[in-house]
Each structure stands twice: as C-alpha cells, then as structure tokens.
Amino acid sequence: MSQLSQSHLLGIKDLTSEDIQLIFETADNFKEVINRPIKKVPSLRDITIANLFFENSTRTRLSFELAEKRLSADVINFSSSTSSVKKGETLLDTVNNVLAMKVDMIVIRHSSPGAPHFLSKHIEANIINAGDGTHEHPTQALLDAFSLRLKFGDLTGLKVAIIGDILHSRVALSNILALKKLGAEVMVCGPNTLMPPHVEELGVVKELDVRNALQWCDVANVLRIQLERQQGGYFPSLREYSLYYGINRKLLDSLNKEITIMHPGPINRGVEIDSDVADSQHSLILQQVENGVAIRMAILYLLAGATS
Ligand code: CP
C-alpha cells in the first residue's frame, strides 16, 4: 500500500492500521532526511499550505511549519487573534478566502470539536486536524505512537497508562484510538471527575489510583490539567491534584521498575509532573517533539499524493 485511505486527516478514528503503518514507514524515511546536513527535499515544491490556528500552540504550529518547509512547500500562517475573525468573519468565509489565493492544503487548529470535519464538507482542499477542542489531536497521537515504536518496536501488548485530565483531552482520545489500533493495552487514570462517562467502552481500563496505574504500565503518558477548558470544581485545588496524581521521583522510585515517561506538552511542572521526572533519562518528551516533524512531513507528503 502506498496511499492513505483518506484524503484528509480529521481523526485517528478514520485511519486503518495499514494507514498508520504507512505513515510510520514514510516518517522513518523523513527522519533520516532531517538528520542529514541538508534537511530539505523538493517533494511538495508546487504545493501551498495554510496553517490556520484559531487556538494557541507552540509545538504543533512550529512543527507543521518546519515540516512544510523541509518538504519545500510554500507556507502561509494565520493566527485568529490578529485576523478579521476579530471583526466577525466566519470560519467558512475565512477558509474560502484563503483558498481563493490558490492554497492546496489546510492545517487547522480550532477550539470547536468538529471544526475540521465541518470544513471537509464544504471545501475541496486536503484538511489536517491540528487539534479540535476536546475531540481529537491525530498528529500528536501518531507522533506519540511513532516514538514508542522507535523505542519498543512492535506495540502489541505494550501497557500504556494515560494519566491526568482525560475528560478535556483530545490527546487522550486520539492516543487511545491509535494505541488500540496498534495492539497496545491502554489504561486511563485520573480523578473520577476528569473521566469521560463510559470511557471503558473505548476498550480501556479505568483506574483511579495513580500508584496502581504506574505499577501496571510500561509507559506513562502524563497529561496536563486543562484549566482553560474547565468550568472549575473537578478537584479542590492544583496542590491537591498534584498530591494525589502528580508524578514525582519519590513515587517512581518506590515502584522498583523502569517506566517510560511521555507528555504531549505544554508541561505544568510541579503539578502533573515534577522536573526530575520530565527531564529524566526515561523521558521521551523532547524525542516526541523531534519525531513530530518527521510524522507531519509524512502526513503532508501522503495527503498531497492522495490528490494527484
Ligand atoms: N502538544 C501540543 O499540541 O502542543 P501545542 O499546544 O503547543 O501545539
């Protein structure tokens, strides 16, 4: 197979496990390219890509822009905070105006779940979901799984605990869907108030005690508390959350086992994870960021091929 089954990347839900393997194999090649002295290839020389960020981002926005430039695409960047959205322009009008400038692909981050799916029903260009509200963050899940594949090889039977604010996390849902498609076992852990109703129906185990989760897992993917999406009242205070769910060195040392630590960023140091864990030799956090460029190059390259 040399083509994706989809012409958009809206969510992991739509990808087959063959799609994911194709993305990984393509990313292997691009990882080699970006470690060369000359990190650029001409693959997308005739393609124009618009990065439309209606929500804040550091990693995803810069990673997409770098991936596009490494592939020799022409790139335009849009931030809603400095745009005519502030004058009342709609999402669809904004995107149609961008497309009128002969743009081929849209990367979009939006606070509304389903915004990329809505666009896909109204426009012709390829769309990549760079995070839609609390729904999905497919490129994050792919770079996370790719990083695990580089460390562990086949993910079949690998035990991954996703710990933190599961309820508000698009990373959690996309990771659950990707890891299950790749044969891993997944546990979600956090306060019951931060668990989506019926989360077990996704084929994961729910655990409220972080020590039990850490005793079970090979990998802990630690998520931040998404205060910007919460109405409050999910737990008494950040201090209390950190006391019961924070991942710290003392807790890990008491388990007498090695656990690989992941975090999608941004990190709230001293809340969900302490610095001596985030920065330890068992942490994949900066490798996740590094691998994000190769994964996004692979997705852009494969989707561009899907239109030709
Ligand atoms: N992981 C992630 O999506 O980070 P940003 O919000 O900085 O893009």
Side-chain angles (χ1 to χ4, degrees), residues 56-61 109 137 140 264-266:
N56 294 344
S57 171
T58 297
R59 277 147 293 271
T60 312
R61 189 170 60 82
R109 170 168 287 192
H137 193 348
Q140 180 69 45

Side-chain angles (χ1 to χ4, degrees), residues 279-290:
D279 303 331
S280 75
Q281 58 171 331
H282 300 307
S283 167
L284 290 186
I285 294 172
L286 289 180
Q287 288 166 54
Q288 291 170 256
V289 177
E290 180 184 335

Side-chain angles (χ1 to χ4, degrees), residues 99-133:
L99 293 178
M101 300 178 208
K102 308 295 178 205
V103 165
D104 304 294
M105 300 176 82
I106 298 283
V107 175
I108 179 169
R109 170 168 287 192
H110 204 283
S111 57
S112 295
H117 308 69
F118 163 77
L119 284 182
S120 72
K121 293 182 171 45
H122 291 91
I123 65 172
E124 293 299 320
N126 307 103
I127 299 169
I128 301 176
N129 180 358
D132 61 325

Side-chain angles (χ1 to χ4, degrees), residues 43-243:
S43 312
L44 298 192
R45 205 177 41 201
D46 299 325
I47 301 284
T48 304
I49 304 173
N51 299 315
L52 308 183
F53 278 72
F54 292 82
E55 212 188 39
N56 294 344
S57 171
T58 297
R59 277 147 293 271
T60 312
R61 189 170 60 82
L62 294 178
S63 179
F64 265 113
E65 185 174 348
L66 199 55
E68 291 152 3
K69 288 179 171 168
R70 297 275 192 247
L71 291 167
S72 306
D74 290 321
V75 180
I76 55 173
N77 291 306
F78 163 98
S79 169
S80 63
S81 59
T82 53
S83 76
S84 291
V85 169
K86 291 285 173 204
K87 303 175 198 164
E89 193 164 32
T90 67
L91 171 62
L92 190 54
D93 279 341
T94 302
V95 173
N96 275 329
N97 277 273
V98 169
L99 293 178
M101 300 178 208
K102 308 295 178 205
V103 165
D104 304 294
M105 300 176 82
I106 298 283
V107 175
I108 179 169
R109 170 168 287 192
H110 204 283
S111 57
S112 295
H117 308 69
F118 163 77
L119 284 182
S120 72
K121 293 182 171 45
H122 291 91
I123 65 172
E124 293 299 320
N126 307 103
I127 299 169
I128 301 176
N129 180 358
D132 61 325
T134 56
H135 182 217
E136 278 226 45
H137 193 348
T139 60
Q140 180 69 45
L142 290 166
L143 74 88
D144 290 343
F146 182 69
S147 301
L148 289 175
R149 172 180 167 275
L150 288 175
K151 174 155 185 165
F152 293 99
D154 186 2
L155 301 197
T156 307
L158 188 74
K159 292 179 173 163
V160 182
I162 304 173
I163 300 170
D165 182 356
I166 312 297
L167 182 65
H168 299 96
S169 173
R170 54 195 175 208
V171 174
L173 178 60
S174 288
N175 260 267
I176 290 168
L177 297 173
L179 289 167
K180 296 293 295 176
K181 283 179 197 240
L182 295 168
E185 294 180 41
V186 184
M187 176 180 279
V188 288
C189 176
N192 213 18
T193 49
L194 291 177
M195 288 287 172
H198 314 296
V199 69
E200 296 95 334
E201 288 173 12
L202 294 169
V204 301
V205 175
K206 179 168 105 175
E207 172 60 63
L208 303 182
D209 185 315
V210 77
R211 171 174 277 276
N212 289 345
L214 292 171
Q215 256 157 355
W216 173 83
C217 71
D218 304 306
V219 178
N221 192 351
V222 186
L223 306 180
R224 79 187 166 91
I225 297 296
Q226 302 212 15
L227 290 173
E228 76 276 22
R229 299 193 204 280
Q230 297 183 5
Q231 305 303 316
Y234 291 94
F235 48 86
S237 66
L238 282 180
R239 196 174 121 70
E240 188 143 342
Y241 178 85
S242 178
L243 203 59

Side-chain angles (χ1 to χ4, degrees), residues 1 4 12 15-32 138-150 153-155 175 178-179 181-183 291 294-299 302:
M1 195 179 89
L4 293 176
I12 299 291
L15 295 181
T16 63
S17 45
E18 290 78 19
D19 286 330
I20 297 177
Q21 294 299 348
L22 176 61
I23 291 167
F24 287 173
E25 284 158 22
T26 311
D28 284 335
N29 293 331
F30 285 128
K31 192 169 165 65
E32 187 268 316
T139 60
Q140 180 69 45
L142 290 166
L143 74 88
D144 290 343
F146 182 69
S147 301
L148 289 175
R149 172 180 167 275
L150 288 175
D154 186 2
L155 301 197
N175 260 267
L179 289 167
K181 283 179 197 240
L182 295 168
N291 292 330
I295 279 288
R296 292 182 172 114
M297 286 173 81
I299 292 161
L302 290 166

